[in-house]
Amino acid sequence: HVQLVESGGGSVQTGGSLRLSCTVSGQLYSYYCMGWFRQIPGKEREGVGTIDRYPSTTYADSVKGRFTISRDNAKNTLDLQMSNLKPEDTAVYYCAAKDTAFCAGSWSLHRTDWFTYWGQGTQVTVS
């Protein structure tokens, strides 16, 4: 059984930085496609970025150049470094996993139903 637990959310001022982490249980983590998504109340969950096992990353246009996804396969962790944060980045952030090596590029950013496992989310507030 795979479990994902996010941490690192909080409040930050515009222009500030924040680092989110996701710890994944399961022995096959290094083979998973991992993603970060976010959701504002009343809106659909949207993709922030993905990282596959090689690791190759894909980002949403809205966060390119500001957010960086990384993974540590030895520690079963996934990180999201967020810089130059804007009020529109305020959302609940979720990490997600799919038990496949490839993330299928930007396609998977728009397919929350493709990901198998989800964390409980962590709030990020930018003011």
Side-chain angles (χ1 to χ4, degrees):
H1 182 61
V2 178
Q3 288 186 316
L4 285 67
V5 178
E6 300 97 339
S7 61
S11 297
V12 64
Q13 292 186 338
T14 298
S17 299
L18 205 59
R19 189 177 187 90
L20 305 182
S21 293
C22 175
T23 300
V24 182
S25 66
Q27 297 180 344
L28 298 178
Y29 169 71
S30 63
Y31 293 93
Y32 291 169
C33 163
M34 299 297 299
W36 283 102
F37 290 78
R38 63 188 183 186
Q39 189 169 22
I40 301 170
K43 293 193 174 182
E44 292 187 356
R45 194 169 296 187
E46 66 174 9
V48 173
T50 61
I51 184 168
D52 64 24
R53 65 170 299 195
Y54 294 102
S56 177
T57 54
T58 300
Y59 296 96
D61 289 342
S62 59
V63 305
K64 279 182 182 176
R66 300 189 298 122
F67 290 13
T68 302
I69 295 175
S70 60
R71 66 190 297 166
D72 187 331
N73 291 336
K75 297 181 179 179
N76 277 26
T77 57
L78 173 74
D79 287 343
L80 179 65
Q81 178 66 48
M82 303 183 291
S83 302
N84 191 20
L85 282 161
K86 305 175 182 180
E88 51 263 44
D89 294 318
T90 295
V92 177
Y93 283 72
Y94 299 88
C95 64
K98 172 72 174 179
D99 52 352
T100 183
F102 294 99
C103 291
S106 60
W107 176 86
S108 59
L109 288 177
H110 306 286
R111 295 299 302 268
T112 56
D113 58 334
W114 185 71
F115 286 85
T116 309
Y117 307 103
W118 290 87
Q120 82 288 350
T122 186
Q123 177 71 46
V124 171
T125 302
V126 185
S127 59

Tab-separated table of all heavy atoms in Angstrom, residues 53-107:
chain	number	residue	atom	x	y	z
A	53	ARG	N	11.360	8.995	-13.400
A	53	ARG	CA	12.443	8.341	-12.685
A	53	ARG	C	13.815	8.706	-13.221
A	53	ARG	O	14.818	8.362	-12.610
A	53	ARG	CB	12.251	6.822	-12.763
A	53	ARG	CG	12.356	6.251	-14.156
A	53	ARG	CD	12.407	4.744	-14.165
A	53	ARG	NE	13.559	4.240	-13.437
A	53	ARG	CZ	14.012	2.999	-13.524
A	53	ARG	NH1	13.396	2.130	-14.302
A	53	ARG	NH2	15.047	2.598	-12.835
A	54	TYR	N	13.935	9.435	-14.348
A	54	TYR	CA	15.232	9.540	-15.004
A	54	TYR	C	16.169	10.653	-14.537
A	54	TYR	O	17.387	10.507	-14.759
A	54	TYR	CB	15.006	9.570	-16.515
A	54	TYR	CG	14.449	8.236	-16.954
A	54	TYR	CD1	13.099	8.052	-17.234
A	54	TYR	CD2	15.285	7.127	-17.015
A	54	TYR	CE1	12.597	6.814	-17.598
A	54	TYR	CE2	14.793	5.884	-17.374
A	54	TYR	CZ	13.454	5.739	-17.666
A	54	TYR	OH	12.955	4.511	-18.008
A	55	PRO	N	15.910	11.732	-13.927
A	55	PRO	CA	14.563	12.295	-13.805
A	55	PRO	C	14.345	13.403	-14.833
A	55	PRO	O	15.228	14.230	-15.060
A	55	PRO	CB	14.571	12.887	-12.399
A	55	PRO	CG	15.983	13.326	-12.191
A	55	PRO	CD	16.847	12.400	-13.034
A	56	SER	N	13.254	13.390	-15.454
A	56	SER	CA	12.865	14.432	-16.392
A	56	SER	C	11.663	15.163	-15.824
A	56	SER	O	10.750	14.534	-15.281
A	56	SER	CB	12.491	13.802	-17.738
A	56	SER	OG	12.051	14.782	-18.645
A	57	THR	N	11.688	16.491	-15.913
A	57	THR	CA	10.626	17.290	-15.322
A	57	THR	C	9.797	18.024	-16.375
A	57	THR	O	10.286	18.342	-17.456
A	57	THR	CB	11.201	18.333	-14.351
A	57	THR	OG1	12.200	19.107	-15.045
A	57	THR	CG2	11.835	17.678	-13.144
A	58	THR	N	8.564	18.285	-16.012
A	58	THR	CA	7.653	19.087	-16.823
A	58	THR	C	6.925	20.035	-15.879
A	58	THR	O	6.532	19.620	-14.791
A	58	THR	CB	6.622	18.207	-17.547
A	58	THR	OG1	7.300	17.283	-18.403
A	58	THR	CG2	5.681	19.059	-18.396
A	59	TYR	N	6.749	21.286	-16.314
A	59	TYR	CA	6.115	22.284	-15.464
A	59	TYR	C	4.956	22.957	-16.189
A	59	TYR	O	4.970	23.130	-17.411
A	59	TYR	CB	7.123	23.359	-15.056
A	59	TYR	CG	8.255	22.840	-14.205
A	59	TYR	CD1	9.469	22.491	-14.787
A	59	TYR	CD2	8.120	22.696	-12.823
A	59	TYR	CE1	10.516	22.017	-14.020
A	59	TYR	CE2	9.163	22.222	-12.050
A	59	TYR	CZ	10.353	21.881	-12.653
A	59	TYR	OH	11.386	21.401	-11.894
A	60	ALA	N	3.998	23.381	-15.404
A	60	ALA	CA	2.943	24.231	-15.936
A	60	ALA	C	3.545	25.589	-16.288
A	60	ALA	O	4.481	26.054	-15.624
A	60	ALA	CB	1.838	24.401	-14.897
A	61	ASP	N	3.004	26.224	-17.316
A	61	ASP	CA	3.540	27.520	-17.746
A	61	ASP	C	3.511	28.543	-16.619
A	61	ASP	O	4.391	29.405	-16.531
A	61	ASP	CB	2.737	28.036	-18.940
A	61	ASP	CG	3.007	27.245	-20.207
A	61	ASP	OD1	4.037	26.535	-20.261
A	61	ASP	OD2	2.199	27.345	-21.137
A	62	SER	N	2.528	28.459	-15.763
A	62	SER	CA	2.350	29.454	-14.707
A	62	SER	C	3.449	29.412	-13.646
A	62	SER	O	3.608	30.375	-12.887
A	62	SER	CB	0.992	29.259	-14.032
A	62	SER	OG	0.897	27.951	-13.486
A	63	VAL	N	4.198	28.319	-13.587
A	63	VAL	CA	5.223	28.198	-12.550
A	63	VAL	C	6.630	28.043	-13.117
A	63	VAL	O	7.603	28.000	-12.354
A	63	VAL	CB	4.926	27.027	-11.602
A	63	VAL	CG1	3.523	27.158	-11.014
A	63	VAL	CG2	5.102	25.674	-12.295
A	64	LYS	N	6.768	27.958	-14.423
A	64	LYS	CA	8.088	27.780	-15.035
A	64	LYS	C	9.031	28.902	-14.628
A	64	LYS	O	8.661	30.069	-14.642
A	64	LYS	CB	7.960	27.743	-16.556
A	64	LYS	CG	7.531	26.407	-17.102
A	64	LYS	CD	7.475	26.439	-18.633
A	64	LYS	CE	6.999	25.118	-19.184
A	64	LYS	NZ	6.844	25.158	-20.654
A	65	GLY	N	10.226	28.515	-14.255
A	65	GLY	CA	11.222	29.493	-13.839
A	65	GLY	C	11.113	29.898	-12.380
A	65	GLY	O	12.011	30.577	-11.856
A	66	ARG	N	10.029	29.502	-11.718
A	66	ARG	CA	9.847	29.849	-10.301
A	66	ARG	C	9.830	28.606	-9.406
A	66	ARG	O	10.275	28.671	-8.260
A	66	ARG	CB	8.538	30.616	-10.117
A	66	ARG	CG	8.462	31.911	-10.903
A	66	ARG	CD	7.229	32.728	-10.502
A	66	ARG	NE	5.978	32.031	-10.775
A	66	ARG	CZ	5.077	31.747	-9.843
A	66	ARG	NH1	5.283	32.095	-8.575
A	66	ARG	NH2	3.951	31.129	-10.171
A	67	PHE	N	9.319	27.518	-9.925
A	67	PHE	CA	9.201	26.286	-9.140
A	67	PHE	C	10.167	25.235	-9.674
A	67	PHE	O	10.397	25.149	-10.884
A	67	PHE	CB	7.783	25.723	-9.220
A	67	PHE	CG	6.738	26.530	-8.498
A	67	PHE	CD1	6.975	27.810	-8.035
A	67	PHE	CD2	5.471	25.981	-8.290
A	67	PHE	CE1	6.004	28.544	-7.378
A	67	PHE	CE2	4.479	26.694	-7.637
A	67	PHE	CZ	4.751	27.980	-7.187
A	68	THR	N	10.688	24.430	-8.757
A	68	THR	CA	11.584	23.338	-9.137
A	68	THR	C	11.185	22.068	-8.399
A	68	THR	O	11.035	22.079	-7.174
A	68	THR	CB	13.041	23.669	-8.805
A	68	THR	OG1	13.426	24.874	-9.477
A	68	THR	CG2	13.959	22.538	-9.249
A	69	ILE	N	11.005	21.009	-9.151
A	69	ILE	CA	10.682	19.705	-8.576
A	69	ILE	C	11.936	18.850	-8.543
A	69	ILE	O	12.706	18.817	-9.515
A	69	ILE	CB	9.596	18.995	-9.405
A	69	ILE	CG1	8.285	19.779	-9.346
A	69	ILE	CG2	9.375	17.577	-8.902
A	69	ILE	CD1	7.203	19.192	-10.230
A	70	SER	N	12.120	18.151	-7.445
A	70	SER	CA	13.243	17.225	-7.341
A	70	SER	C	12.799	16.006	-6.542
A	70	SER	O	11.794	16.043	-5.826
A	70	SER	CB	14.434	17.902	-6.667
A	70	SER	OG	14.108	18.346	-5.369
A	71	ARG	N	13.574	14.954	-6.673
A	71	ARG	CA	13.254	13.726	-5.944
A	71	ARG	C	14.531	13.077	-5.441
A	71	ARG	O	15.593	13.205	-6.052
A	71	ARG	CB	12.485	12.755	-6.844
A	71	ARG	CG	13.267	12.194	-8.017
A	71	ARG	CD	12.365	11.441	-8.984
A	71	ARG	NE	11.733	10.271	-8.361
A	71	ARG	CZ	10.719	9.608	-8.896
A	71	ARG	NH1	10.209	9.989	-10.049
A	71	ARG	NH2	10.228	8.542	-8.289
A	72	ASP	N	14.397	12.411	-4.325
A	72	ASP	CA	15.496	11.649	-3.756
A	72	ASP	C	15.006	10.211	-3.634
A	72	ASP	O	14.246	9.886	-2.718
A	72	ASP	CB	15.902	12.223	-2.397
A	72	ASP	CG	17.154	11.557	-1.833
A	72	ASP	OD1	17.399	10.374	-2.136
A	72	ASP	OD2	17.872	12.217	-1.068
A	73	ASN	N	15.423	9.375	-4.556
A	73	ASN	CA	14.918	8.002	-4.574
A	73	ASN	C	15.423	7.188	-3.390
A	73	ASN	O	14.780	6.221	-2.980
A	73	ASN	CB	15.293	7.318	-5.883
A	73	ASN	CG	14.544	7.897	-7.067
A	73	ASN	OD1	13.464	8.461	-6.915
A	73	ASN	ND2	15.122	7.770	-8.244
A	74	ALA	N	16.565	7.557	-2.844
A	74	ALA	CA	17.095	6.829	-1.688
A	74	ALA	C	16.273	7.109	-0.433
A	74	ALA	O	16.154	6.254	0.449
A	74	ALA	CB	18.546	7.211	-1.449
A	75	LYS	N	15.701	8.302	-0.378
A	75	LYS	CA	14.921	8.698	0.800
A	75	LYS	C	13.416	8.620	0.560
A	75	LYS	O	12.632	8.912	1.465
A	75	LYS	CB	15.299	10.117	1.227
A	75	LYS	CG	16.744	10.269	1.668
A	75	LYS	CD	17.031	11.692	2.101
A	75	LYS	CE	18.477	11.840	2.569
A	75	LYS	NZ	18.775	13.241	2.975
A	76	ASN	N	13.020	8.266	-0.653
A	76	ASN	CA	11.589	8.219	-0.998
A	76	ASN	C	10.905	9.567	-0.775
A	76	ASN	O	9.804	9.634	-0.220
A	76	ASN	CB	10.862	7.136	-0.189
A	76	ASN	CG	11.012	5.759	-0.797
A	76	ASN	OD1	11.992	5.498	-1.494
A	76	ASN	ND2	10.068	4.876	-0.535
A	77	THR	N	11.562	10.617	-1.203
A	77	THR	CA	10.982	11.942	-1.025
A	77	THR	C	10.876	12.684	-2.355
A	77	THR	O	11.642	12.446	-3.285
A	77	THR	CB	11.807	12.787	-0.043
A	77	THR	OG1	13.152	12.882	-0.521
A	77	THR	CG2	11.791	12.190	1.344
A	78	LEU	N	9.921	13.583	-2.368
A	78	LEU	CA	9.666	14.452	-3.513
A	78	LEU	C	9.579	15.870	-2.976
A	78	LEU	O	8.890	16.103	-1.984
A	78	LEU	CB	8.350	14.071	-4.178
A	78	LEU	CG	7.842	14.967	-5.297
A	78	LEU	CD1	8.664	14.747	-6.557
A	78	LEU	CD2	6.367	14.710	-5.560
A	79	ASP	N	10.276	16.800	-3.594
A	79	ASP	CA	10.269	18.175	-3.125
A	79	ASP	C	9.736	19.124	-4.199
A	79	ASP	O	9.843	18.846	-5.394
A	79	ASP	CB	11.681	18.621	-2.736
A	79	ASP	CG	12.148	17.978	-1.440
A	79	ASP	OD1	11.298	17.469	-0.687
A	79	ASP	OD2	13.362	17.984	-1.177
A	80	LEU	N	9.198	20.229	-3.724
A	80	LEU	CA	8.780	21.317	-4.604
A	80	LEU	C	9.330	22.606	-4.019
A	80	LEU	O	8.844	23.082	-2.991
A	80	LEU	CB	7.252	21.390	-4.717
A	80	LEU	CG	6.718	22.519	-5.599
A	80	LEU	CD1	7.124	22.310	-7.049
A	80	LEU	CD2	5.191	22.620	-5.478
A	81	GLN	N	10.347	23.144	-4.656
A	81	GLN	CA	10.919	24.419	-4.237
A	81	GLN	C	10.193	25.524	-4.983
A	81	GLN	O	10.205	25.557	-6.214
A	81	GLN	CB	12.414	24.470	-4.540
A	81	GLN	CG	13.066	25.793	-4.183
A	81	GLN	CD	13.072	26.063	-2.688
A	81	GLN	OE1	13.442	25.205	-1.905
A	81	GLN	NE2	12.648	27.261	-2.299
A	82	MET	N	9.568	26.418	-4.226
A	82	MET	CA	8.789	27.495	-4.829
A	82	MET	C	9.439	28.829	-4.502
A	82	MET	O	9.697	29.128	-3.329
A	82	MET	CB	7.348	27.466	-4.285
A	82	MET	CG	6.657	26.135	-4.513
A	82	MET	SD	4.942	26.125	-3.954
A	82	MET	CE	5.191	26.210	-2.186
A	83	SER	N	9.702	29.605	-5.523
A	83	SER	CA	10.329	30.905	-5.351
A	83	SER	C	9.495	31.975	-6.026
A	83	SER	O	8.642	31.673	-6.866
A	83	SER	CB	11.740	30.892	-5.946
A	83	SER	OG	12.536	29.902	-5.349
A	84	ASN	N	9.765	33.237	-5.652
A	84	ASN	CA	9.033	34.368	-6.227
A	84	ASN	C	7.522	34.101	-6.196
A	84	ASN	O	6.827	34.246	-7.210
A	84	ASN	CB	9.505	34.638	-7.660
A	84	ASN	CG	8.977	35.943	-8.221
A	84	ASN	OD1	8.575	36.832	-7.473
A	84	ASN	ND2	8.950	36.040	-9.541
A	85	LEU	N	7.054	33.723	-5.050
A	85	LEU	CA	5.649	33.337	-4.920
A	85	LEU	C	4.716	34.521	-5.112
A	85	LEU	O	5.032	35.662	-4.738
A	85	LEU	CB	5.411	32.686	-3.560
A	85	LEU	CG	5.893	31.237	-3.478
A	85	LEU	CD1	6.072	30.809	-2.022
A	85	LEU	CD2	4.913	30.316	-4.187
A	86	LYS	N	3.561	34.239	-5.694
A	86	LYS	CA	2.555	35.241	-5.984
A	86	LYS	C	1.257	34.874	-5.273
A	86	LYS	O	1.019	33.700	-4.974
A	86	LYS	CB	2.301	35.295	-7.492
A	86	LYS	CG	3.551	35.525	-8.324
A	86	LYS	CD	3.246	35.439	-9.809
A	86	LYS	CE	4.503	35.625	-10.639
A	86	LYS	NZ	4.215	35.543	-12.096
A	87	PRO	N	0.394	35.837	-5.023
A	87	PRO	CA	-0.877	35.523	-4.375
A	87	PRO	C	-1.676	34.454	-5.123
A	87	PRO	O	-2.377	33.643	-4.488
A	87	PRO	CB	-1.606	36.876	-4.375
A	87	PRO	CG	-0.500	37.875	-4.331
A	87	PRO	CD	0.594	37.282	-5.184
A	88	GLU	N	-1.551	34.422	-6.425
A	88	GLU	CA	-2.286	33.419	-7.208
A	88	GLU	C	-1.731	32.005	-7.041
A	88	GLU	O	-2.317	31.043	-7.547
A	88	GLU	CB	-2.324	33.789	-8.692
A	88	GLU	CG	-0.978	34.119	-9.290
A	88	GLU	CD	-0.714	35.623	-9.330
A	88	GLU	OE1	-0.997	36.308	-8.315
A	88	GLU	OE2	-0.194	36.089	-10.372
A	89	ASP	N	-0.618	31.869	-6.329
A	89	ASP	CA	-0.095	30.536	-6.007
A	89	ASP	C	-0.767	29.957	-4.762
A	89	ASP	O	-0.535	28.800	-4.408
A	89	ASP	CB	1.417	30.594	-5.777
A	89	ASP	CG	2.191	30.960	-7.023
A	89	ASP	OD1	1.854	30.450	-8.106
A	89	ASP	OD2	3.141	31.769	-6.906
A	90	THR	N	-1.580	30.764	-4.103
A	90	THR	CA	-2.289	30.293	-2.919
A	90	THR	C	-3.216	29.145	-3.285
A	90	THR	O	-4.046	29.261	-4.187
A	90	THR	CB	-3.108	31.437	-2.297
A	90	THR	OG1	-2.203	32.449	-1.829
A	90	THR	CG2	-3.943	30.934	-1.126
A	91	ALA	N	-3.055	28.032	-2.585
A	91	ALA	CA	-3.838	26.833	-2.892
A	91	ALA	C	-3.461	25.730	-1.910
A	91	ALA	O	-2.500	25.868	-1.146
A	91	ALA	CB	-3.574	26.354	-4.324
A	92	VAL	N	-4.198	24.655	-1.967
A	92	VAL	CA	-3.784	23.421	-1.300
A	92	VAL	C	-2.957	22.637	-2.312
A	92	VAL	O	-3.404	22.413	-3.445
A	92	VAL	CB	-4.986	22.589	-0.835
A	92	VAL	CG1	-4.512	21.265	-0.217
A	92	VAL	CG2	-5.815	23.377	0.168
A	93	TYR	N	-1.764	22.246	-1.903
A	93	TYR	CA	-0.850	21.531	-2.791
A	93	TYR	C	-0.852	20.043	-2.444
A	93	TYR	O	-0.757	19.667	-1.266
A	93	TYR	CB	0.556	22.113	-2.667
A	93	TYR	CG	0.705	23.419	-3.392
A	93	TYR	CD1	0.106	24.573	-2.912
A	93	TYR	CD2	1.431	23.498	-4.575
A	93	TYR	CE1	0.221	25.773	-3.592
A	93	TYR	CE2	1.558	24.703	-5.264
A	93	TYR	CZ	0.954	25.830	-4.769
A	93	TYR	OH	1.068	27.023	-5.452
A	94	TYR	N	-0.927	19.235	-3.492
A	94	TYR	CA	-0.975	17.789	-3.343
A	94	TYR	C	0.169	17.139	-4.114
A	94	TYR	O	0.491	17.568	-5.231
A	94	TYR	CB	-2.281	17.225	-3.909
A	94	TYR	CG	-3.533	17.727	-3.243
A	94	TYR	CD1	-4.156	18.895	-3.680
A	94	TYR	CD2	-4.114	17.010	-2.195
A	94	TYR	CE1	-5.319	19.342	-3.078
A	94	TYR	CE2	-5.280	17.452	-1.592
A	94	TYR	CZ	-5.876	18.623	-2.039
A	94	TYR	OH	-7.030	19.068	-1.441
A	95	CYS	N	0.743	16.106	-3.541
A	95	CYS	CA	1.643	15.279	-4.330
A	95	CYS	C	0.877	14.035	-4.777
A	95	CYS	O	-0.084	13.608	-4.120
A	95	CYS	CB	2.910	14.903	-3.566
A	95	CYS	SG	2.690	13.880	-2.113
A	96	ALA	N	1.299	13.510	-5.902
A	96	ALA	CA	0.611	12.379	-6.500
A	96	ALA	C	1.625	11.427	-7.112
A	96	ALA	O	2.723	11.841	-7.485
A	96	ALA	CB	-0.376	12.856	-7.561
A	97	ALA	N	1.238	10.171	-7.225
A	97	ALA	CA	2.132	9.152	-7.764
A	97	ALA	C	1.394	8.240	-8.723
A	97	ALA	O	0.200	7.937	-8.536
A	97	ALA	CB	2.740	8.331	-6.624
A	98	LYS	N	2.128	7.818	-9.722
A	98	LYS	CA	1.624	6.841	-10.689
A	98	LYS	C	2.700	5.787	-10.840
A	98	LYS	O	3.872	6.109	-11.050
A	98	LYS	CB	1.344	7.516	-12.027
A	98	LYS	CG	1.007	6.589	-13.169
A	98	LYS	CD	-0.379	6.004	-13.000
A	98	LYS	CE	-0.747	5.194	-14.235
A	98	LYS	NZ	-2.092	4.572	-14.092
A	99	ASP	N	2.309	4.520	-10.772
A	99	ASP	CA	3.293	3.441	-10.811
A	99	ASP	C	3.722	3.121	-12.240
A	99	ASP	O	3.493	2.022	-12.757
A	99	ASP	CB	2.778	2.196	-10.096
A	99	ASP	CG	1.412	1.768	-10.592
A	99	ASP	OD1	0.792	2.512	-11.382
A	99	ASP	OD2	0.970	0.668	-10.206
A	100	THR	N	4.360	4.121	-12.836
A	100	THR	CA	4.913	3.976	-14.169
A	100	THR	C	6.142	4.866	-14.268
A	100	THR	O	6.219	5.889	-13.610
A	100	THR	CB	3.882	4.353	-15.242
A	100	THR	OG1	4.456	4.134	-16.535
A	100	THR	CG2	3.500	5.812	-15.132
A	101	ALA	N	7.108	4.481	-15.090
A	101	ALA	CA	8.371	5.217	-15.143
A	101	ALA	C	8.233	6.577	-15.817
A	101	ALA	O	8.893	7.534	-15.428
A	101	ALA	CB	9.412	4.379	-15.876
A	102	PHE	N	7.392	6.672	-16.840
A	102	PHE	CA	7.252	7.907	-17.603
A	102	PHE	C	6.021	8.701	-17.160
A	102	PHE	O	4.992	8.135	-16.815
A	102	PHE	CB	7.137	7.614	-19.107
A	102	PHE	CG	8.380	7.034	-19.697
A	102	PHE	CD1	8.490	5.677	-19.891
A	102	PHE	CD2	9.446	7.845	-20.053
A	102	PHE	CE1	9.640	5.118	-20.441
A	102	PHE	CE2	10.594	7.302	-20.603
A	102	PHE	CZ	10.685	5.937	-20.800
A	103	CYS	N	6.189	10.019	-17.232
A	103	CYS	CA	5.082	10.890	-16.834
A	103	CYS	C	4.296	11.406	-18.021
A	103	CYS	O	3.334	12.135	-17.833
A	103	CYS	CB	5.604	12.075	-16.035
A	103	CYS	SG	6.229	11.642	-14.401
A	104	ALA	N	4.704	11.047	-19.239
A	104	ALA	CA	3.969	11.441	-20.448
A	104	ALA	C	3.925	12.949	-20.650
A	104	ALA	O	2.954	13.480	-21.197
A	104	ALA	CB	2.553	10.870	-20.425
A	105	GLY	N	4.931	13.654	-20.192
A	105	GLY	CA	5.052	15.077	-20.471
A	105	GLY	C	3.908	15.904	-19.919
A	105	GLY	O	3.351	15.597	-18.867
A	106	SER	N	3.550	16.940	-20.627
A	106	SER	CA	2.523	17.865	-20.148
A	106	SER	C	1.139	17.234	-20.121
A	106	SER	O	0.232	17.746	-19.465
A	106	SER	CB	2.507	19.124	-21.007
A	106	SER	OG	2.231	18.791	-22.357
A	107	TRP	N	0.965	16.140	-20.848
A	107	TRP	CA	-0.341	15.467	-20.873
A	107	TRP	C	-0.801	15.130	-19.469
A	107	TRP	O	-1.962	15.334	-19.102
A	107	TRP	CB	-0.252	14.209	-21.722
A	107	TRP	CG	-1.499	13.381	-21.750
A	107	TRP	CD1	-2.570	13.516	-22.575
A	107	TRP	CD2	-1.799	12.263	-20.892
A	107	TRP	NE1	-3.522	12.565	-22.293
A	107	TRP	CE2	-3.074	11.778	-21.274
A	107	TRP	CE3	-1.115	11.629	-19.857
A	107	TRP	CZ2	-3.674	10.687	-20.653
A	107	TRP	CZ3	-1.716	10.546	-19.232
A	107	TRP	CH2	-2.982	10.095	-19.631
